[in-house]
Amino acid sequence: MNLYIAGRMAAVIKEATCKLGVSRIRREARKPGSGFWPKGGPRPEQPASAPRGVASP
């Protein structure tokens, strides 16, 4: 999905995201183990010969 947000709306979204991140870090510092990280499902297996995403020059 291609989405582009600019201007004041982008600034509002960015500010909310930053505040949320800082508040989560502060809460984790006050109460260790309080953070929640969702677990992902099983990943599809890739063959060993599959190319990697990053190649060194």
Side-chain angles (χ1 to χ4, degrees):
M1 177 170 84
N2 293 330
L3 179 67
Y4 180 78
I5 301 173
R8 290 181 188 246
M9 181 55 69
V12 168
I13 292 170
K14 181 180 177 184
E15 189 65 28
T17 303
C18 291
K19 283 184 180 182
L20 177 68
V22 170
S23 68
R24 296 272 175 120
I25 292 169
R26 291 178 69 193
R27 185 178 70 183
E28 183 68 25
R30 282 193 318 266
K31 299 169 85 176
S34 65
F36 172 75
W37 193 262
K39 301 286 185 193
R43 294 183 180 190
E45 191 165 327
Q46 295 181 350
S49 62
R52 303 290 292 195
V54 178
S56 58

